[in-house]
Amino acid sequence: MNNNKKIIFWHSVDYTQAVKELESSIITGLTGEQTEQRLKACGENRLAEVKKAPAVMLLFEQFKNTLIIILIIATILSGIMGHLVEAVAIGVIILFAVLLGFVQEFRAERALEALRDMAAPLATVVRGGIEKRVQARELVPGDIIILAAGDRVPADARLVEAVNLQVNESVLTGESLPVPKERDFIAAGDASPGDRRNMVFSGTTVTYGRGRGLVTSTGMETEFGRIAVMLQQTGRVSTPLQKNLDRVGRILARVAFLLVAIVVITGLLRDQPLLEMIVFGIALAVAVVPEALPAVVTISLAIGVQRMVKRHALVRYLPAVETLGCTSMICSDKTGTLTKNEMTVRRLFIGSGRIIDVSGSGYDPEGGFYSEGAALKPDLEITALLRAGALCSDAHFTITSGTRELNGDPTEGAIVTAAEKAGMDITELRRSYERIDEVPFTTESRRMTTLHRHGEGIIAFVKGAAEEILEASDSVLVNDQVEQLTPALREKIMWHAAEFGTGALRVIAAASRDSEKVSDAAAGLVFLGLIGMIDPPRPEAGDAILNCRDAGIGIMMITGDHPATAGAIAAELGLLDEEKRVVTGKDIAAMDNETLRNTIRSISVCARVSPGDKLRIVESLQYLDEVVAMTGDGINDAPALKKADIGVAMGITGTDVSKEAAAMTLTDDNFSSIVAAVEEGRIIFNNIRKYLMYLLSSNMGEIGLMLATSLMGLPLPLSAVQILYVNLATDGLPALALAVDPPDHDIMKRRPRRTNTGIFTRPVVLLIAAGGAWSTIVNTSLYFWAMHTGKNTSEIMTIVFASLVLIQFFKAYNFRSERESVFVKPFRNKWLNIAIAWEVMLILFVIYNPVLQSAFGTFSMTAGDWGVVFGVSVTIIPFLEVCKFRLRRMKQE
């Protein structure tokens, strides 16, 4: 074998030349000595294992999050100050968040292991003229492997023999139907794997026929190996939420440090005790940090995950739920996601020249027959055509757990289903037409013939390519009469066959003949008609696409299927228009990165694409700041699934490799479930934003009050323990209740938010600032009033304490939406109602219980005190209503 590593496109050379290049023999294969030498030179035929990070390192990585570091400091400070309950609570939150991240990272490492598991363990090989079974890892370039139906291909190979050979390549190329293979076919040098009909690829499965292949690539040099390399080189991107929370954590860290410095320095300038000011500064810093933020985020995501399971989406990576919420582009596979992955007969052409439309979808035998829009009962011509197709087929259906499952070829399954729609009992039909002989389909003859005994006669049925069946026919069934097949009618039939093909229908012709021998059916046939079929769109996919458009989400179909087929389905789903076009993998390969980025938004369908093409598509969209959700089910999809902002694998048809590489799996393989997941993602992000609006506005009110009084040289209005309690009350149950707030009615009518927009949009920042400022003004004013009424320090602090808590409870209802009025279904969130009621009882207990009065420095308030506190606190409602109204007007302008 040549060792100069020259590049040879094995699919573009004759098989005899390939054998010569690899110094092998079709008859005898390699010698033992050659095998040993090549095994040393090329290595074993298996995917290389990647050095994985130790579990301890993965765990340590979780502590590099800014917010986690702040919470650890807060835990230590709370413990030092003697607030053990709060310290333990924060510690539990930290532990939960860290373990969650660790589990996600650890499971992500499984993608490459699943890919290695796809390799065939054993292979049949010819060595030294002897056929033997060997470990697949021992294969080397130049080996002659033997392939039979049911085998998993152990290595990439150039075919040197192919007898009716068909291979299921869906895991690699996305092609939904088995691919016929031909030894003598020569492909172009730049042909995609799906167009290399003279090659078989590692990890694919032989579904029909037999053959021999010359091993051309092993291990990491195979198409599988290239995908493994891309998986190794492709890292996950941080989700928008992770980036936002890291930014929030860094800001809060700076604010906490600045506050401690200001309060301590101000207090020292007023000659207050150093230790007292340090303790108070620490308490204020702890109050700034949203200890419940990781818990709120986790609870929001977990609840979203539970809701998504009910909507057929299973998330294995929690932040992916939120990422779906800002998805701006969905790159969807065609087969099984936008379509049913069940071939369906759509149209018939019969001898009388009529076009018959067939309703129904998939393998469900419910449907009818229509001519020019009018329903009709299947007549003799329709029955004869479908009977011939069903009898000249091996497909049959079984019922498993109430589900109708196809056993056999999808094309034949579609014909059998159409025959059932015509009222035929397939079991009884095949019993009455006993099959006594057959000639199976071959790529050379392009037809299948079966011979049947029916009553006292024998009849042959033939189905196959339209041109082959038509050439072998000399008559045609018209109504109930057999007539001569004229040249004009032949031309008409071929025109309709071409028209069916233009509409992306797969066309099968059927014929029959009274015959004693199967060989007699090679000519003199009675032409029965044409059958046009397609894998149809899912009925619900169209509505889901309309929902995406309303939500401002773009959709791109990415498939391994033929461009005509993909384009027809896209047109039916409304994905194609004057501004959108269909491109192939070859077109994409011809573009440089800049050209692809400039044209990617005008592309609606990408057909015949390779794994590298899919990865470039995702990268180009991300370069244009699109948040990309990528669906896929095959091994070929794994690198793009991992690279995408959100990878979505198929639960039914998906490989383990795609599921491990993806962040979410659809349990029903349905495009509409992705749209439902997008909605859940938007709901979750909105609820996290509501929590942060509420929390930060409340904290601003606390901080503003403390800073205002400190800078004016007044005594501090709250004690350190009161500050911590306010922090616990507002960060606690009310905040958690906002995490499960019901969704806004127009959640799927809004444009996707940009990843650089973040949580803090201009309206959100203005509302946070307005709420914090009004709280500061109200409570500072209340403090001044209380100081001038002759009340003692304990009474004054209790009044301010109650006012601060109450105003924050009113804010909780206001911040259920940054858009809508608080008076629009104000008590819709039952959990918030319960939380506020519980917190009101607790604060009353703190204020009136003698034991807690001593601990918190509180005083029993009078009814008059409560009237004043309620009166000033409730002003936050009309103030924020005015702010929201102005923001709505600004948006309209």
Side-chain angles (χ1 to χ4, degrees):
M1 183 180 71
N2 296 326
N3 293 317
N4 57 6
K5 289 285 185 180
K6 69 176 181 178
I7 298 174
I8 298 176
F9 296 114
W10 300 107
H11 53 275
S12 62
V13 300
D14 184 76
Y15 74 96
T16 56
Q17 183 184 344
V19 173
K20 183 178 179 181
E21 287 285 346
L22 289 171
E23 300 173 12
S24 185
S25 167
I26 297 175
I27 305 301
T28 62
L30 298 175
T31 64
E33 184 179 351
Q34 285 177 307
T35 303
E36 190 175 333
Q37 291 173 349
R38 295 183 187 190
L39 192 59
K40 288 179 181 178
C42 302
E44 290 190 337
N45 176 36
R46 58 180 173 184
L47 301 183
E49 294 191 23
V50 181
K51 186 177 180 181
K52 294 186 290 186
V56 175
M57 290 301 297
L58 288 178
L59 186 62
F60 179 73
E61 286 291 320
Q62 310 309 311
F63 289 93
K64 292 185 179 180
N65 180 289
T66 306
L67 195 58
I68 294 295
I69 293 171
I70 294 174
L71 291 180
I72 291 172
I73 295 172
T75 304
I76 295 171
L77 294 177
S78 295
I80 291 173
M81 294 172 59
H83 301 291
L84 296 180
V85 174
E86 188 169 29
V88 170
I90 301 172
V92 170
I93 291 170
I94 293 170
L95 183 64
F96 189 58
V98 166
L99 289 178
L100 192 68
F102 168 74
V103 169
Q104 173 254 312
E105 293 290 340
F106 185 78
R107 291 184 64 185
E109 296 293 329
R110 278 286 303 152
L112 285 173
E113 293 178 26
L115 188 59
R116 284 194 293 272
D117 292 341
M118 292 292 293
L122 295 173
T124 304
V125 64
V126 177
R127 287 180 178 167
I130 301 173
E131 185 178 312
K132 58 179 71 175
R133 294 280 282 175
V134 300
Q135 293 291 327
R137 67 173 181 268
E138 297 174 7
L139 291 178
V140 296
D143 263 327
I144 300 295
I145 55 174
I146 297 175
L147 303 170
D151 287 348
R152 179 170 286 174
V153 180
D156 288 6
R158 172 66 166 88
L159 289 171
V160 296
E161 179 184 313
V163 180
N164 304 328
L165 186 64
Q166 295 185 25
V167 180
N168 183 343
E169 296 180 342
S170 59
V171 296
L172 185 66
T173 66
E175 174 65 58
S176 56
L177 296 173
V179 179
K181 294 294 181 176
E182 302 175 37
R183 180 192 68 179
D184 297 323
F185 178 81
I186 303 295
D190 60 352
S192 66
D195 292 323
R196 301 174 192 171
R197 300 210 306 271
N198 54 9
M199 297 285 295
V200 289
F201 301 103
S202 175
T204 59
T205 305
V206 178
T207 59
Y208 192 80
R210 58 186 176 83
R212 290 190 178 207
L214 172 73
V215 174
T216 55
S217 304
T218 59
M220 299 299 285
E221 298 298 318
T222 62
E223 291 296 323
F224 255 44
R226 294 191 182 104
I227 293 170
V229 170
M230 284 189 278
L231 270 174
Q232 294 167 13
Q233 296 173 346
T234 303
R236 286 197 187 277
V237 294
S238 295
T239 70
L241 181 61
Q242 288 170 324
K243 294 174 184 175
N244 275 296
L245 294 183
D246 283 344
R247 193 180 306 124
V248 170
R250 288 192 295 270
I251 292 171
L252 291 177
R254 296 188 186 103
V255 171
F257 179 79
L258 184 63
L259 282 177
V260 172
I262 291 174
V263 171
V264 171
I265 292 171
T266 304
L268 291 176
L269 292 175
R270 298 204 319 262
D271 296 325
Q272 289 185 295
L274 175 62
L275 182 59
E276 179 184 334
M277 293 313 302
I278 290 175
V279 169
F280 191 85
I282 290 172
L284 195 57
V286 170
V288 172
V289 177
E291 292 94 338
L293 180 55
V296 168
V297 171
T298 302
I299 289 171
S300 297
L301 295 175
I303 291 171
V305 166
Q306 290 177 350
R307 288 198 298 252
M308 288 170 69
V309 168
K310 296 176 182 177
R311 301 176 81 170
H312 308 291
L314 181 64
V315 173
R316 60 185 295 273
Y317 173 52
L318 278 185
V321 182
E322 180 272 336
T323 308
L324 275 163
C326 56
T327 296
S328 59
M329 177 65 73
I330 299 175
C331 296
S332 177
D333 189 23
K334 177 186 74 68
T335 306
T337 308
L338 290 168
T339 67
K340 291 179 68 69
N341 196 22
E342 296 178 356
M343 293 296 287
T344 304
V345 173
R346 279 284 185 86
R347 306 187 88 185
L348 306 175
F349 173 83
I350 50 181
S352 57
R354 290 179 297 159
I355 299 293
I356 306 299
D357 294 310
V358 185
S359 65
S361 181
Y363 298 140
D364 184 352
E366 295 295 323
F369 299 84
Y370 301 83
S371 177
E372 298 180 350
L376 58 86
K377 185 177 181 181
D379 55 24
L380 182 63
E381 286 181 281
I382 296 173
T383 303
L385 174 60
L386 294 177
R387 179 173 58 228
L391 289 171
C392 193
S393 298
D394 294 319
H396 64 280
F397 291 93
T398 56
I399 305 298
T400 304
S401 302
T403 302
R404 182 175 157 98
E405 294 184 353
L406 172 66
N407 295 275
D409 181 77
T411 299
E412 294 185 348
I415 296 173
V416 169
T417 302
E420 290 178 309
K421 291 176 183 177
M424 299 181 203
D425 183 327
I426 302 302
T427 302
E428 182 58 35
L429 179 69
R430 288 174 173 169
R431 186 181 295 118
S432 61
Y433 285 83
E434 179 191 0
R435 185 184 296 188
I436 56 177
D437 201 356
E438 65 183 279
V439 177
F441 175 89
T442 67
T443 54
E444 290 77 19
S445 68
R446 300 172 67 200
R447 70 171 76 176
M448 176 181 179
T449 306
T450 55
L451 196 65
H452 301 261
R453 180 178 287 111
H454 179 61
E456 297 183 359
I458 296 177
I459 185 171
F461 294 109
V462 187
K463 75 174 186 346
E467 56 270 30
E468 298 294 335
I469 303 302
L470 197 58
E471 186 178 342
S473 302
D474 59 16
S475 56
V476 59
L477 181 67
V478 179
N479 297 321
D480 59 349
Q481 301 292 322
V482 175
E483 298 182 2
Q484 187 70 25
L485 188 57
T486 64
L489 186 52
R490 285 179 186 274
E491 186 176 338
K492 182 178 181 180
I493 291 170
M494 288 308 301
W495 185 88
H496 281 290
E499 185 191 35
F500 280 17
T502 302
L505 296 179
R506 185 173 188 181
V507 183
I508 299 292
S512 66
R513 177 183 171 171
D514 292 330
S515 174
E516 293 292 329
K517 295 186 296 184
V518 72
S519 58
D520 292 340
L525 301 177
V526 178
F527 187 83
L528 300 176
L530 302 173
I531 304 172
M533 64 193 73
I534 197 171
D535 177 15
R538 288 178 177 268
E540 63 274 19
D543 291 337
I545 288 171
L546 289 176
N547 289 340
C548 284
R549 285 182 174 160
D550 289 342
I553 300 169
I555 301 169
M556 181 183 295
M557 179 193 293
I558 301 179
T559 177
D561 271 353
H562 192 278
T565 304
I569 294 296
E572 190 169 340
L573 288 170
L575 292 178
L576 287 180
D577 55 36
E578 294 179 356
E579 298 178 356
K580 298 290 185 179
R581 61 193 179 107
V582 179
V583 300
T584 65
K586 190 179 293 186
D587 297 327
I588 293 170
M591 300 180 195
D592 58 28
N593 288 337
E594 185 176 356
T595 304
L596 182 59
R597 291 165 185 166
N598 290 336
T599 59
I600 193 74
R601 285 193 170 126
S602 67
I603 298 170
S604 188
V605 177
C606 298
R608 285 284 194 253
V609 291
S610 69
D613 296 332
K614 294 185 179 186
L615 200 55
R616 286 188 65 205
I617 290 168
V618 171
E619 289 171 343
S620 296
L621 289 167
Q622 289 175 333
Y623 180 84
L624 298 173
D625 294 328
E626 300 284 359
V627 178
V628 183
M630 169 76 184
T631 75
D633 56 2
I635 299 162
N636 59 324
D637 298 318
L641 287 173
K642 190 175 180 183
K643 178 64 178 176
D645 298 279
I646 169 72
V648 184
M650 302 296 109
I652 299 173
T653 60
T655 61
D656 288 342
V657 181
S658 63
K659 292 174 187 176
E660 290 294 341
M664 187 177 83
T665 300
L666 301 182
T667 58
D668 62 350
D669 291 10
N670 197 328
F671 180 81
S672 62
S673 298
I674 304 173
V675 182
V678 168
E679 182 180 0
E680 290 296 340
R682 291 188 175 192
I683 292 170
I684 286 166
F685 186 84
N686 259 25
N687 286 351
I688 292 172
R689 174 181 279 169
K690 292 172 186 178
Y691 161 77
L692 281 173
M693 285 170 59
Y694 164 63
L695 173 77
L696 296 181
S697 179
S698 298
N699 284 2
M700 278 189 65
E702 298 170 31
I703 295 163
L705 172 65
M706 306 309 294
L707 285 179
T709 52
S710 294
L711 294 174
M712 287 186 289
L714 298 173
L716 293 173
L718 297 173
S719 66
V721 70
Q722 286 174 340
I723 281 285
L724 288 171
Y725 180 85
V726 171
N727 186 46
L728 179 64
T730 56
D731 273 14
L733 295 180
L736 293 176
L738 286 175
V740 293
D741 201 52
D744 296 344
H745 67 88
D746 62 343
I747 194 77
M748 287 299 285
K749 301 293 182 183
R750 305 172 187 171
R751 305 288 299 176
R753 75 178 192 280
R754 310 308 300 175
T755 53
N756 57 1
T757 299
I759 293 173
F760 302 109
T761 60
R762 185 166 178 263
V764 168
V765 171
L766 289 174
L767 279 177
I768 290 173
W774 187 256
S775 178
T776 299
I777 292 169
V778 167
N779 286 309
T780 303
S781 301
L782 181 65
Y783 183 48
F784 269 109
W785 171 82
M787 287 181 66
H788 290 84
T789 56
K791 298 180 183 294
N792 62 41
T793 301
S794 179
E795 286 182 272
I796 295 170
M797 295 179 79
T798 302
I799 288 173
V800 175
F801 172 61
S803 172
L804 190 60
V805 172
L806 204 58
I807 203 170
Q808 291 179 5
F809 289 166
F810 286 129
K811 281 184 184 179
Y813 286 98
N814 268 277
F815 286 130
R816 286 191 56 242
S817 174
E818 79 272 21
R819 300 162 180 254
E820 295 182 348
S821 167
V822 69
F823 299 109
V824 177
K825 298 181 179 180
F827 303 112
R828 189 180 173 199
N829 187 341
K830 67 176 182 179
W831 299 111
L832 181 60
N833 301 334
I834 294 170
I836 295 297
W838 172 254
E839 292 294 346
V840 167
M841 286 192 294
L842 283 183
I843 194 171
L844 291 175
F845 199 56
V846 167
I847 290 174
Y848 291 105
N849 182 276
V851 176
L852 294 179
Q853 283 180 341
S854 175
F856 283 88
T858 54
F859 182 86
S860 297
M861 292 171 56
T862 65
D865 293 335
W866 278 113
V868 172
V869 167
F870 184 85
V872 297
S873 299
V874 79
T875 60
I876 191 68
I877 293 177
F879 177 74
L880 288 177
E881 282 297 293
V882 171
C883 292
K884 288 183 184 181
F885 175 76
R886 289 296 305 156
L887 288 172
R888 288 195 296 269
R889 289 288 298 272
M890 288 168 59
K891 186 176 181 181
Q892 291 173 357
E893 294 170 0

